[in-house]
Amino acid sequence: MMLALADFQLVFTLVGAALALPMSGTKKGLMSFPVLHKRSQALNLRTKDNVVALGNVSTLSYLIRLQIGTPPQLVEVVLDTGSFELWVDPTCATAATESQEEKCNASGRYVPSMSSTYVNKGVIQHIGYGKGGAEISYAVDDILVPGSNSEALRNVVFGVGLNTNELAWGVGGIGHGYGFNLHYNNLVDELHAQGITQSKAFSIGLGGQYSEAGGVIIFGGVDTMKFSGKLHKFDNMPPQIEGSKEGPWRYWIQMKSVGVTTPNSVMSTYEYSTMPALLDTGSTWSYLPQHIFDSLQDDFNATLSEDGSLEVPCSMIAQPGTVDFTFGELTIQVPYSEFISQLEPEYCALGILPRKGPYDRAVLGDSFLRSAYVVFDQTNQHLYMASYRDCGTNEQTLSGEVGAALNLTGQCHTGLRLFASIPMCWVIAPSAFVLWVFALLL
Ligand SMILES: *[C@@H]1O[C@H](CO)[C@@H](O)[C@H](O)[C@H]1NC(C)=O
Ligand SMILES: *[C@@H]1O[C@H](CO)[C@@H](O)[C@H](O)[C@H]1NC(C)=O
Ligand SMILES: *[C@@H]1O[C@H](CO)[C@@H](O)[C@H](O)[C@H]1NC(C)=O
Ligand SMILES: *[C@@H]1O[C@H](CO)[C@@H](O)[C@H](O)[C@H]1NC(C)=O
């Protein structure tokens, strides 16, 4: 989202230049955060025994915990590669359900007046998302480097929520910032500008739906024990909004095909499934054009539910099939156990919704991304991808060189993990059938 305010741009260009000093104690050139898995509950309409009933569904969101200010205050924000700005402090009272209000209350608040390093920029901005929106006031403050007592990223610009709608958490937007979509440095820019990372790159392994341990995001590095094989390099495509060169820069990748490998068949691919795809951790579901949605409905024998999703029998979660997404020479096989979500004890749905529009475009959200390990490299406008696995931790620094991630090979074995450790009973936990599309509408 472009900031229209010229004086604001000037202020931050100056602040940014004055503070681009190297930091001490950042020898590793990377900064990693655990990715937390949080469920929350929401109500939605769905067909139940041929009657439209109010369902009570549970979905998973991926968050990171930041420590902002002096002394540091803990706040949790949704990890969002589909937007560009960081803001905290949603209005909990306007969350969509009581469950979400409760989650919101528990996600921590940043109280500017309690931070000695807080500076109010006196600029207000509105950010709209696919679902919900936020009116924020810009602040400048320090963000503590995780695992350190005093080392911090200094003078980071971010928003403090004044008034937000239907959002249970603040948003950690880590899309393209300064020079692309913003007139000031966002978190990714600031980490590089202050020398914490050597490259405007970060990698994400969200972690499986049933993983207790969660996932990880590493700014400036890669964890070679979170994937198998080598990372494949792709171009980050320019803006793809309805085929024009307008619109914001995002993490667009050329998808070669979508297909399925059912328990009884070899892999088949769908016609006309070559298209640009947006990698968006802020979206719970993936969005594919209607013809692919229809093909998946046929192949899964799925029922179109009142809420627009494709319902399948929950027993399917345990079947050894995959939904296959191919990019160049790489195919990410998403096991049914990760592609199907259990929204209610006896209501399971495929992780996709149809995307309408004159051009074929895909949004690959969490239902795809938790099976991939992705490096987002803004320094060289590349995206790297491999199949997600979790076999330990080995964090390595990424230099800013072109192709740096190609030298980092995954240490996990390649065997497809079909349904490791699915809980036997329904997890009673938070959630929302709120379709968390934390990207602006395409
Ligand atoms: C929704 O489910 C949660 C957890 O199972 C339960 O606590 C809550 O009362 C339910 N709400 C409704 C409206 O059914
Ligand atoms: C959230 O916090 C507010 C203010 O403290 C309180 O009034 C409200 O009842 C809380 N909501 C829930 C669902 O816990
Ligand atoms: C799909 O559903 C139909 C009707 O319920 C059933 O006869 C058929 O066996 C199902 N096919 C598969 C592959 O499950
Ligand atoms: C990759 O590794 C080779 C051999 O160690 C090295 O010569 C090359 O510079 C590395 N490339 C990058 C981009 O880091």
Side-chain angles (χ1 to χ4, degrees):
M1 169 154 303
M2 283 282 191
L3 290 175
L5 300 149
D7 53 346
F8 183 56
Q9 168 181 4
L10 182 64
V11 166
F12 290 119
T13 305
L14 296 175
V15 168
L19 292 163
L21 300 171
M23 300 193 42
S24 59
T26 50
K27 45 241 166 249
K28 288 197 300 178
L30 55 83
M31 182 163 114
S32 70
F33 291 88
V35 174
L36 313 171
H37 292 187
K38 301 252 162 158
R39 285 186 176 272
S40 65
Q41 215 93 30
L43 301 176
N44 76 309
L45 285 181
R46 71 181 212 82
T47 320
K48 208 172 189 176
D49 305 325
N50 297 320
V51 175
V52 178
L54 209 49
N56 182 9
V57 301
S58 159
T59 58
L60 187 58
S61 298
Y62 295 90
L63 293 94
I64 58 170
R65 189 173 288 153
L66 300 173
Q67 293 176 270
I68 308 180
T70 311
Q73 303 176 43
L74 277 178
V75 285
E76 291 169 358
V77 293
V78 168
L79 190 58
D80 186 17
T81 58
S83 67
F84 334 109
E85 302 191 75
L86 165 68
W87 65 266
V88 299
D89 292 1
T91 310
C92 296
T94 63
T97 63
E98 199 179 314
S99 160
Q100 286 187 20
E101 185 183 336
E102 200 181 309
K103 289 288 132 182
C104 184
N105 278 354
S107 68
R109 293 197 83 70
Y110 165 75
V111 182
S113 60
M114 290 174 67
S115 171
S116 63
T117 39
Y118 161 74
V119 176
N120 179 0
K121 297 318 294 177
V123 177
I124 290 171
Q125 169 84 354
H126 183 269
I127 306 181
Y129 297 97
K131 175 104 190 171
E135 187 179 47
I136 58 169
S137 164
Y138 287 98
V140 180
D141 209 335
D142 298 350
I143 298 182
L144 196 70
V145 170
S148 92
N149 289 327
S150 57
E151 191 184 337
L153 193 58
R154 305 288 173 201
N155 303 289
V156 181
V157 177
F158 60 95
V160 178
L162 295 176
N163 205 338
T164 72
N165 273 314
E166 293 187 64
L167 299 171
W169 289 292
V171 176
I174 47 174
H176 296 73
Y178 183 77
F180 292 98
N181 305 318
L182 297 175
H183 296 303
Y184 73 93
N185 279 352
N186 71 6
L187 185 61
V188 179
D189 298 324
E190 218 41 88
L191 282 164
H192 184 237
Q194 297 191 28
I196 291 188
T197 60
Q198 293 170 24
S199 168
K200 277 204 294 186
F202 58 88
S203 60
I204 299 181
L206 289 176
Q209 286 193 98
Y210 307 105
S211 148
E212 295 288 323
V216 66
I217 175 167
I218 306 169
F219 291 99
V222 165
D223 186 341
T224 55
M225 294 182 95
K226 291 291 185 289
F227 61 98
S228 64
K230 73 180 193 79
L231 287 159
H232 291 241
K233 178 160 78 69
F234 304 95
D235 288 333
N236 188 140
M237 302 168 79
Q240 296 292 320
I241 300 299
E242 308 298 44
S244 83
K245 295 280 171 258
E246 303 300 311
W249 274 79
R250 295 182 192 281
Y251 300 115
W252 286 104
I253 187 171
Q254 182 66 17
M255 181 167 73
K256 191 159 138 196
S257 68
V258 181
V260 285
T261 306
T262 65
N264 321 310
S265 75
V266 294
M267 184 168 133
S268 61
T269 58
Y270 297 132
E271 280 194 312
Y272 308 113
S273 58
T274 300
M275 67 193 77
L278 174 69
L279 303 178
D280 184 4
T281 60
S283 176
T284 301
W285 311 101
S286 297
Y287 293 76
L288 294 168
Q290 191 72 45
H291 65 277
I292 301 178
F293 182 85
D294 293 344
S295 302
L296 281 162
Q297 177 173 6
D298 290 347
D299 282 344
F300 277 87
N301 224 2
T303 310
L304 187 61
S305 196
E306 186 69 22
D307 60 29
S309 63
L310 291 177
E311 181 170 0
V312 294
C314 289
S315 58
M316 219 173 217
I317 291 180
Q319 290 180 16
T322 58
V323 180
D324 310 317
F325 296 83
T326 300
F327 309 86
E329 303 295 303
L330 173 73
T331 297
I332 303 285
Q333 292 199 285
V334 181
Y336 285 3
S337 60
E338 293 296 349
F339 200 68
I340 299 169
S341 287
Q342 189 161 12
L343 303 174
E344 282 180 42
E346 290 178 19
Y347 173 30
C348 289
L350 298 182
I352 51 159
L353 289 170
R355 179 177 183 275
K356 315 267 192 301
Y359 298 92
D360 281 352
R361 298 283 182 273
V363 177
L364 299 178
D366 301 336
S367 57
F368 163 79
L369 287 169
R370 52 181 161 249
S371 298
Y373 188 78
V374 187
V375 183
F376 301 81
D377 176 1
Q378 280 189 39
T379 292
N380 304 297
Q381 290 309 333
H382 287 139
L383 295 162
Y384 298 82
M385 217 167 4
S387 293
Y388 179 79
R389 298 286 181 275
D390 184 3
C391 59
T393 302
N394 184 7
E395 297 180 354
Q396 312 231 14
T397 307
L398 269 180
S399 74
E401 274 177 75
V402 178
L406 291 175
N407 273 1
L408 302 172
T409 299
Q411 294 173 268
C412 305
H413 62 80
T414 53
L416 187 59
R417 223 177 12 121
L418 284 176
F419 42 93
S421 66
I422 295 175
M424 294 312 288
C425 59
W426 168 245
V427 185
I428 295 183
S431 180
F433 193 64
V434 172
L435 308 173
W436 291 110
V437 192
F438 281 124
L440 306 179
L441 289 171
L442 299 176

